[in-house]
Amino acid sequence: MEERKEQYLFGMHPVLEAVKSGRKFDKVLLKKGLEGEQFRELLGLLTEKGINFQFVPPERLNRAVRGAHQGVIACISQIDYVSIEDMVNNALAATGNPVIIILDGVSDVRNLGAIARSLECAGGNGIIVPAKGGAAINADAVKASAGALMRLDTCRVPNLKVAAYYLKQSGFKLIAATEKAESLMYDTDLTGPCAIIMGSEDKGISRSMLELADDKVRIPMSGNISSLNVSVAASVMIYECVRQRLGK
């Protein structure tokens, strides 16, 4: 594991009590084969609160910390997450035309950090990430963002589709950035409240999220390489929003 020791909380009882108290974690590592009443209680709480957890062999836990971890290690969150409701309220209170980024499976922490940095520089309003299947917002991600993740509202949700529906009901237009789109980004109105969906590095945007998008747009490409790095593509999309808002 890459996380440093001081970012951990470990031991069955300390982790269980921390989860009960509302402490935020990026993920919880559980030893394969764990049993017992406390374990079942912890597993139920992790599922209920949408905290990412993973079963791993004991060797991985032993490498991570020195001490009686009892088969449970929690990676402490580097940032304070906000709810989707608070993100939307804060964004609409800050500006009449907020921009939010939805990361659908982006798995590289450096890409996540770079996207956050571009969004913050452009005056964007927040990032939505999945509780499972995306990059961890750890110290490396915060560093790659140049601290932007500490300033932006960040929301981690169990289900991106539910978050997308909420954004649509709140007046946001969902824009899917995909090379498979027919329309160029220049031909779509990005001046109102919008949420830009960026897909994973290898598979792009999932079908379920594409189906929810109000518009699908692509960045014009003239070279032999057919796609941009996701952090670069996100930056291009973000600054197209800026350009349209400036009326240029």
Side-chain angles (χ1 to χ4, degrees), residues 197-230:
I197 308 168
M198 303 301 304
S200 68
E201 293 88 345
D202 54 348
K203 297 179 181 179
I205 299 171
S206 62
R207 178 183 296 181
S208 60
M209 291 298 288
L210 280 173
E211 290 173 351
L212 284 176
D214 297 297
D215 288 296
K216 303 176 186 66
V217 303
R218 62 182 174 88
I219 298 169
M221 305 287 292
S222 300
N224 293 322
I225 298 174
S226 61
S227 64
L228 295 168
N229 172 277
V230 65

Side-chain angles (χ1 to χ4, degrees), residues 82-100 123-126 153 166-173 191-195 245:
V82 302
S83 67
I84 184 69
E85 294 84 3
D86 285 345
M87 173 177 284
V88 167
N89 289 337
N90 292 343
L92 292 173
T95 175
N97 49 6
V99 178
I100 287 172
N125 303 92
D153 277 352
Y166 186 82
L167 288 169
K168 288 166 73 78
Q169 292 169 358
S170 301
F172 283 75
K173 181 189 288 187
T191 57
C194 64
R245 283 158 167 73

